[in-house]
Amino acid sequence: MKIRYWFVYLCIIIFCFCVWGIPINAVERNQYVCTACLHKQELNPVQKSISDVDMYANIMECVDFSEMTQYLKIRYDITLCEEVYTYTFESIRETVAGIEYVMQLYPTIQKSITQMTMYDTDDWIAAMSVSGVIYFSDTYYSLAYTEFADKIAQWSDSDVKWHPDNCDSMFSYGMHEAFHFLIVAQMENEGYNAYQILYGWDTIVYRRAQQIVQQCAIGRNLTKAIAAISEYATVDYMETISEAMCDYVINGTESAWLSQKIGRHFTNKFGVSEYVFKTGVYKTPVFCVGCKLLCGVFCLRYGHK
């Protein structure tokens, strides 16, 4: 008796649920594992197999600027400018670790970030350009690591909730800047070209960010929902999205209501998997090419009526 299509698909679905939940340690985010055969696969084609770089689980294992430069260039094709070398390595590394963390959770943005460099300012700690550059303030990153950390601790003790809970750190500042590229990724997917995004940053991009936030906040008072994220989230809709994403990723189910709505919006579009926050575990079953081909052959052989 021939097996019907629906029965074959049902078997595959049951198989998926049987292998659901095989954990992958957080330090292996640069790869995924086929849940059928446990064969490791590269997560993103930007990454290259270079033994010297594959030694490192993440940026925090680099011990100096030379190693960090090689690591970023080979693994993500990101240039770390030499002018960074005269600043505090530990502070730069921790901020870049936050950027890498976001790139691993949302690999689509990897291609958007091309360079990291310094900027002469004390108006902000870090900033991004839609052209692909992330800037670090020479004022703050010239401080000793402990001095910079003390300043951040003082800011977080303020009565004003400038950032979401647990989001006052060099690591989270890096995350914040990286999250700005999610709106760029969405607009690229929607057909906007590079010229529109680059030269329409203050108009087209901001309007699109506003639409996303308003869509996510349907049913609630928009002003109050944004204010519940953080004070900085009220600056403009681009900051709303980045602050919400930091809140969502770091605090998970404890994050603000609107943060969770915005977080799910972008995770459904660009997240690598159903991520279990704070555990470094992936839950979504994934399959390598070989297992997909086997499933296809099985369906062709037994799936006809």
Side-chain angles (χ1 to χ4, degrees):
M1 184 178 67
K2 303 298 184 183
I3 302 176
R4 296 180 180 275
Y5 277 116
W6 66 267
F7 183 72
V8 174
Y9 294 144
L10 179 62
C11 290
I12 293 174
I13 292 171
I14 293 173
F15 172 74
C16 289
F17 276 101
C18 287
V19 298
W20 193 281
I22 294 179
I24 302 175
N25 192 278
V27 299
E28 295 180 327
R29 287 196 189 92
N30 61 305
Q31 295 177 320
Y32 67 80
V33 173
C34 173
T35 51
C37 65
L38 300 183
H39 177 64
K40 289 186 178 181
Q41 304 289 307
E42 289 296 317
L43 178 66
N44 191 291
V46 170
Q47 300 170 356
K48 301 174 183 178
S49 179
I50 305 295
S51 58
D52 289 344
V53 169
D54 285 343
M55 290 170 54
Y56 306 117
N58 53 57
I59 197 74
M60 291 300 290
E61 295 191 4
C62 297
V63 298
D64 56 34
F65 280 119
S66 178
E67 288 188 1
M68 185 187 294
T69 299
Q70 183 186 26
Y71 176 90
L72 289 172
K73 189 63 179 177
I74 294 174
R75 179 155 286 181
Y76 302 111
D77 197 24
I78 294 174
T79 300
L80 184 69
C81 295
E82 289 188 6
E83 62 188 73
V84 175
Y85 287 20
T86 59
Y87 294 86
T88 306
F89 171 73
E90 292 80 8
S91 301
I92 297 286
R93 180 179 62 179
E94 187 169 319
T95 306
V96 175
I99 296 169
E100 180 180 42
Y101 187 66
V102 174
M103 290 194 298
Q104 296 293 358
L105 291 179
Y106 303 89
T108 303
I109 72 168
Q110 289 183 16
K111 66 181 185 296
S112 300
I113 304 174
T114 59
Q115 187 181 79
M116 297 178 186
T117 189
M118 304 304 299
Y119 196 87
D120 182 12
T121 184
D122 60 0
D123 292 334
W124 39 259
I125 293 172
M128 60 77 72
S129 165
V130 72
S131 62
V133 183
I134 292 181
Y135 299 95
F136 305 119
S137 162
D138 64 343
T139 300
Y140 295 106
Y141 287 92
S142 62
L143 299 174
Y145 177 83
T146 53
E147 186 178 357
F148 191 7
D150 287 343
K151 278 187 174 292
I152 294 173
Q154 291 172 10
W155 297 333
S156 64
D157 287 339
S158 169
D159 293 336
V160 177
K161 183 185 175 182
W162 190 242
H163 294 296
D165 293 338
N166 307 312
C167 294
D168 274 300
S169 67
M170 293 171 232
F171 186 88
S172 61
Y173 294 161
M175 290 177 60
H176 177 100
E177 298 310 321
F179 277 132
H180 280 309
F181 289 99
L182 281 177
I183 183 64
V184 175
Q186 176 157 342
M187 293 185 70
E188 288 175 344
N189 278 8
E190 293 171 347
Y192 291 89
N193 59 46
Y195 181 88
Q196 289 174 305
I197 296 173
L198 181 60
Y199 294 100
W201 183 252
D202 294 331
T203 53
I204 299 173
V205 180
Y206 272 76
R207 282 200 300 270
R208 190 68 191 96
Q210 178 180 3
Q211 291 167 356
I212 292 170
V213 173
Q214 289 176 335
Q215 177 185 355
C216 291
I218 289 177
R220 296 288 182 96
N221 181 292
L222 180 61
T223 302
K224 291 181 179 179
I226 293 174
I229 299 172
S230 70
E231 185 68 23
Y232 195 42
T234 66
V235 171
D236 59 52
Y237 292 105
M238 286 295 296
E239 302 303 343
T240 302
I241 289 175
S242 277
E243 288 287 278
M245 290 303 301
C246 284
D247 189 19
Y248 177 66
V249 169
I250 291 177
N251 296 313
T253 56
E254 299 299 317
S255 58
W257 176 85
L258 183 55
S259 295
Q260 295 184 47
K261 298 288 285 187
I262 292 173
R264 293 191 195 103
H265 169 86
F266 284 106
T267 299
N268 289 339
K269 288 181 177 294
F270 305 115
V272 295
S273 63
E274 182 184 341
Y275 185 74
V276 182
F277 298 104
K278 299 184 180 181
T279 65
V281 174
Y282 294 108
K283 291 181 65 180
T284 300
V286 289
F287 301 95
C288 66
V289 174
C291 290
K292 289 177 181 177
L293 288 174
L294 285 175
C295 287
V297 170
F298 182 77
C299 288
L300 289 174
R301 173 63 180 85
Y302 298 106
H304 59 281
K305 294 182 179 179

